[in-house]
Amino acid sequence: MFDDYSWVLILILAIFVVMFAALAIGGKKAKKQQEAIDEEILSEPTPEPFAEYARVVSKRMEESYGGTPKMPRYKLMFIVTFLTDGGETKEFSVSEETYGRINEHQAGMLITIDGNFFDFGDGEEI
């Protein structure tokens, strides 16, 4: 009886061997792809922070409503407008914590990275 079904066992074993080999090859290929992605990310230049002296011109909160009737969405944005020493006006959305510690007419260092707000202050809290 075992001899009658031995070809089935051999076939199942062969399928497992092929599946294992495919998984091993696929895993190596995926690892090489991930290593290439990691290397590309690491080779990209890190954007440098840009600091300039600025004064807070104004600050405001804006509410926005959206979503759907079943899932309404409310968002409160904290906006601060700066005037740089170069005469340029820059406006950024900031965190609630940053908004709370910045005062109108306050002067300090405005730090941006790739044109995006990073921090503002007298240097101690930055």
Side-chain angles (χ1 to χ4, degrees), residues 3-28:
D3 291 334
D4 294 335
Y5 296 104
S6 61
W7 64 273
V8 174
L9 294 174
I10 292 171
L11 182 63
I12 291 172
L13 181 63
I15 290 172
F16 279 123
V17 168
V18 170
M19 286 175 48
F20 180 76
L23 287 173
I25 292 169
K28 287 180 182 178

Side-chain angles (χ1 to χ4, degrees), residues 2 20 29 43 61 63 66 93 109 116 126:
F2 180 75
F20 180 76
K29 186 176 179 182
S43 67
M61 291 184 278
E63 299 175 315
S93 176
M109 293 304 293
N116 299 309
I126 296 177

Side-chain angles (χ1 to χ4, degrees), residues 65-73:
Y65 299 92
T68 64
K70 289 185 177 183
M71 291 192 68
R73 204 175 106 209

Side-chain angles (χ1 to χ4, degrees), residues 14-78:
I15 290 172
F16 279 123
V17 168
V18 170
M19 286 175 48
F20 180 76
L23 287 173
I25 292 169
K28 287 180 182 178
K29 186 176 179 182
K31 184 176 180 181
K32 284 183 182 179
Q33 288 175 339
Q34 186 61 48
E35 287 172 353
I37 291 169
D38 292 344
E39 185 176 319
E40 183 179 331
I41 290 170
L42 291 174
S43 67
E44 291 179 6
T46 304
E48 291 293 319
F50 178 72
E52 58 188 326
Y53 190 77
R55 180 174 300 281
V56 177
V57 176
S58 66
K59 54 188 252 184
R60 68 184 187 282
M61 291 184 278
E62 290 183 0
E63 299 175 315
S64 69
Y65 299 92
T68 64
K70 289 185 177 183
M71 291 192 68
R73 204 175 106 209
Y74 169 78
K75 184 176 181 181
L76 186 59
M77 293 176 33
F78 302 92

Side-chain angles (χ1 to χ4, degrees), residues 49-50 52 54-56 78-82 90-102 106 108-121 125-126:
F50 178 72
E52 58 188 326
R55 180 174 300 281
V56 177
F78 302 92
I79 312 293
V80 179
T81 305
F82 299 92
K90 297 183 177 184
E91 188 171 83
F92 299 101
S93 176
V94 300
S95 69
E96 183 176 1
E97 184 271 326
T98 299
Y99 183 86
R101 71 175 168 81
I102 293 176
Q106 178 181 348
M109 293 304 293
L110 171 63
I111 300 175
T112 57
I113 297 179
D114 276 349
N116 299 309
F117 179 85
F118 182 73
D119 206 351
F120 177 77
E125 61 270 319
I126 296 177

